[in-house]
Amino acid sequence: MLPYVFRRLLQAIPILLAVAALIFVMFSVIPGNFATSQMADGRSNIDAATIARMNEQFGLNDPLPLRFAKYVGGLATFDLGDSFRTRQPVTALIGERLWPSLQLALAAMAFAIVIGVPLGFFAALKPGSWVDMLSMVFAVSGLSLPMFWLGLLLMYAFALTLNWFPSFGYGNGDPRYIVLPAIALGVSPLALLARTSRAAVLEILHADFVRTARAKGASSYRVMRWHVARNALVIVLTTLGLQFGSVLGQAVVVEKLFAWPGLGSLLVDSVTWRDIPAVQGCILTIVLFFLVVNIAVDVLCAVVDPRIKYS
Amino acid sequence: MLKKLAFTTALTFAAFTLQAQAQEPRRGGTIRFTAPYGASFVSNDSHVSNQIQDEIYGYALHGMLYKWDAKNGKPVLDIAESVQVSADGKTYTYKLRDNALFHNGRKLTSDDVIWSYTRIMDGAKNYPGARYVARIVGATDVQKGQAKEISGLKKIDDSSFSMTLTDKADPGYFLFQAQTAILPAKEAQQPGFFDKPIGLGPFKFVEHVPGSRMAFERWDKYYLAGKPYADKLVISPMGEAAARDVAFRNKEVDVSILGSTQYVAYKADPNLSKGILEVAEVFTRNMGMNPTFKPFSDKRVRQAINYAIDSDLIIKRLVRDKAYRAASWLPLSSPAFDKDAKPYAFDPDKAKKLLVEAGYPDGFEFEWTATPNESWGVPIVEATIPMLAKVGIKVKVKPVETSALGGVVVGGDFQAYIWSNTSGPDSLTALKCFHSSTPRSSCNYTTFKNPAYDKLIDDASNEADAAKQLDLLKKANAMLQEEAPVWFFNYNKAVMAYQPWLHGLQPNATELALQRYEELWIDTTSPAAK
């Protein structure tokens, strides 16, 4: 197993390099740069000499391949460069924001798993029933709702009308602050998990080995616990990995809406101000998180299902 | 119309001031402020950031040489108690306040001021405040690495220094921003200083949770006796207008800057409408015309565009009255604004006639560069298209991202652009942007050139008598209207909603979100009164 994990981690390197290269190329093609973005609000008149000095300071006058080579050189030593905006190391900026983002991602996924997976299982056990219909309507709605709109609805309902939770902010360790952003972020993976779980359980319920188990007189609980749930879990885990990996990227909207101090809000501001090192750092962190989570899920799948072997 | 607007604005200010004065300020409680221009603050170092978002906290933490007196619309001394100006109007000698103490208890000295300004001019760092400090003699030498000290700054003793400017100007207009904050020289050079920065402002730094909040507590030894009133101040960056709206209605924040959609809703609400502060900010929304594009080199064409667009209709329908109709460049809050000036009337027939006279009886087509901004971007351009088409002018929209617009305009790579530009608070500085000696890269974006206009500005620059200078500036502003280097669209109406328990807000025309926190106080009805 360990050589497999090691190989997967090595495979992540070219992916990260490709992402870094893509961002470099994109930011060199689109008009504007950090210096000119400073004039965007119409308050500041930055003269040509200052723009030239800023471009020199941030190495923006260097040819693209040279800038990329320098950046990759830095990556090798975990140096993501300094932010143009804050003049601080990007690693420090990400360090400040990573934990709140992870907290939000974990809370959102916990919400999605705790509700989505049982919902899918129950729906599959009674296909065509009102439970099934209702759960699938819920699932489709969850997938279709724009996250921003859902977030606003939650704010209006649970903060403004019912006054159960604060509408924004991080709080001082008060868990009430994470509830609404976690629900807004978790509804989409919840819906997908519910649908996937339902489909997986339905498929396995009709499998030969389940029929055999029942014919041998195994109790319903035993069939569900050892034959259906365990086999369905592999499929659910794969979906879970994909969703968990991407939830950090999806958090951009929710973090901005709820003033949650995660990577997403840092990314939005950095893109606005053409802060290339910060944008690259945030995106690489999100991509790395996605890759690591999926490797972890692959390992978990092998633990759950001994038939899966990684050579 | 403008007279009416100016009168209404003045009335609002007066009513607001009276209301604030009616009650005795109360000490204690927490002010919960919002910073609406982004999802975070840039840095704990106020010299680093170019963004208004950081100025919002800078006014709490720092003292500057000057501060903006919003009620009287002029800069006044902040950390200095007196100033003497030389006969040529270029050298200013300041006496610092004896009771100005940094948050560690150390007394402010002239070394701190000189060090702070020298730091801002560090050419390797390109701090945004350099554009203000650069007006001190020798500052640009430091920036270029040709000197280590700013020759125009001379220490007289620990509590006084002199400052010589490159040209005759009132430094109050450019040394009140937090980008020119005075830092404690010795302490600021210590590692980790900016993890918990100290300044001279009314509030002490407590914590910064990036992307969530910055918290402060009262500085008991602030140099204005009895101020600030509040015990604590929490500023939350909230870039999303809809989220601010919910938080404000839910009484979680004390103020919210309103966009045009919310402005309409708040005005219609019987309760919320009682707590609205409106100010004509020093920003002029305009369409700049590039004279290198042949039709725009003709004044009659530029005037025709001003006549062809029904600006009032656009302001009413699209901007939802969250703007004041522009007559010329200087805004309503400018002392040189001519209250009798009438904006271009909507007169398509006159526009057509002018186009015929200019040799464009069949009109022409031009490319209009615009950002997605709802108040001065593509939506506005789209509204003008049918109006301009009626006089034969076709428009091709060239959309650009907001952060790219500055580069496009400074590079001269446009036929026309729409933007919101600062037009104050200093009328002379604002009008100098149209002087022929001002390069496009500074702020003469339309490369306007008119010898008669130049003379008016030069005369105003050299005029010692304030009343005469004002008169010259009014004439220059009127000439700009006549020359129409831009389509004069509107002046921004900034709107802030505030809770009934918050008092002392100032109608700051330079930026409404910037408040002198030492003047604010909350009464016992606030949820954070204790």
Side-chain angles (χ1 to χ4, degrees), chain A residues 37-39 42-46 53 57 85-87 156 159 167 170-172 256-257 261 269 272-274, chain B residues 39-40 42 48 50 125-126 143 210 213 240 243 245 250 252 283 401 403 410 419-420 422 441-442 445 511:
Chain A
S37 76
Q38 302 296 292
M39 303 164 70
R43 294 168 194 278
S44 318
N45 305 312
I46 297 182
R53 273 200 309 275
Q57 179 190 353
R85 277 194 321 144
T86 70
R87 323 283 170 106
Y156 274 104
S167 71
Y170 188 53
N172 285 314
K256 190 154 187 273
L257 184 65
D269 278 355
T272 306
W273 298 99
R274 296 284 195 275
Chain B
S40 54
V42 172
V48 162
N50 190 42
K125 299 283 171 61
N126 285 306
Q143 193 174 42
R213 65 176 179 271
E240 276 304 327
D245 176 38
N250 206 29
E252 292 175 75
F283 289 95
E401 237 195 297
S403 51
V410 166
W419 206 356
S420 173
T422 180
S441 61
S442 288
Y445 303 127
E511 167 58 60

Side-chain angles (χ1 to χ4, degrees), chain B residues 215-228:
Chain B
F216 303 87
E217 63 186 16
R218 181 172 54 217
W219 173 226
D220 287 322
K221 295 175 182 169
Y222 184 57
Y223 41 80
L224 295 178
K227 292 179 181 176

Side-chain angles (χ1 to χ4, degrees), chain B residues 157 379 385 524:
Chain B
D157 56 44
I385 289 174
T524 49

Side-chain angles (χ1 to χ4, degrees), chain A residues 16-33:
Chain A
L16 291 172
L17 286 176
V19 170
L22 193 67
I23 303 165
F24 249 99
V25 172
M26 280 171 64
F27 272 89
S28 62
V29 170
I30 56 176
N33 59 30

Side-chain angles (χ1 to χ4, degrees), chain B residues 201-419:
Chain B
F203 285 90
K204 287 193 294 183
F205 179 93
V206 174
E207 66 165 353
H208 178 196
V209 181
S212 181
R213 65 176 179 271
M214 211 179 250
F216 303 87
E217 63 186 16
R218 181 172 54 217
W219 173 226
D220 287 322
K221 295 175 182 169
Y222 184 57
Y223 41 80
L224 295 178
K227 292 179 181 176
Y229 301 112
D231 289 337
K232 290 177 186 168
L233 167 71
V234 177
I235 310 175
S236 306
M238 295 183 75
E240 276 304 327
R244 276 201 314 278
D245 176 38
V246 175
F248 183 80
R249 289 170 187 263
N250 206 29
K251 301 176 174 55
E252 292 175 75
V253 295
D254 294 338
V255 294
S256 176
I257 292 285
L258 303 184
S260 52
T261 310
Q262 288 153 349
Y263 177 51
V264 175
Y266 276 54
K267 272 186 86 171
D269 186 298
N271 288 323
L272 295 174
S273 60
K274 290 176 192 161
I276 290 180
L277 174 59
E278 299 178 4
V279 173
E281 276 187 345
V282 290
F283 289 95
T284 303
R285 278 81 178 265
N286 67 95
M287 177 190 98
M289 295 175 250
N290 193 339
T292 59
F293 177 63
K294 196 167 173 292
F296 291 153
S297 64
D298 193 317
K299 180 171 89 175
R300 290 166 296 188
V301 173
R302 302 194 299 260
Q303 287 175 332
I305 287 191
N306 274 280
Y307 281 119
I309 300 173
D310 189 348
S311 303
D312 287 325
L313 183 68
I314 297 174
I315 290 170
K316 191 172 175 60
R317 294 284 167 81
L318 277 181
V319 191
R320 301 177 192 216
D321 276 331
K322 200 184 152 300
Y324 301 98
R325 175 76 199 276
S328 182
W329 188 252
L330 295 178
L332 288 168
S333 49
S334 165
F337 176 79
D338 184 355
K339 291 173 178 61
D340 295 322
K342 285 186 178 148
Y344 280 93
F346 174 52
D347 190 343
D349 293 334
K350 195 165 185 178
K352 235 173 174 176
K353 199 176 151 203
L354 283 165
L355 286 173
V356 171
E357 283 173 20
Y360 297 98
D362 301 322
F364 61 93
E365 182 177 306
F366 75 93
E367 194 177 70
W368 193 342
T369 304
T371 69
N373 190 290
E374 62 173 8
S375 301
W376 44 270
V378 171
I380 305 298
V381 173
E382 283 172 346
T384 68
I385 289 174
M387 297 172 187
L388 291 169
K390 276 188 181 167
V391 298
I393 299 174
K394 287 180 189 161
V395 175
K396 208 167 119 189
V397 185
K398 186 183 176 187
V400 292
E401 237 195 297
T402 308
S403 51
L405 181 65
V408 170
V409 174
V410 166
D413 182 23
F414 66 91
Q415 290 177 350
Y417 64 82
I418 185 165
W419 206 356

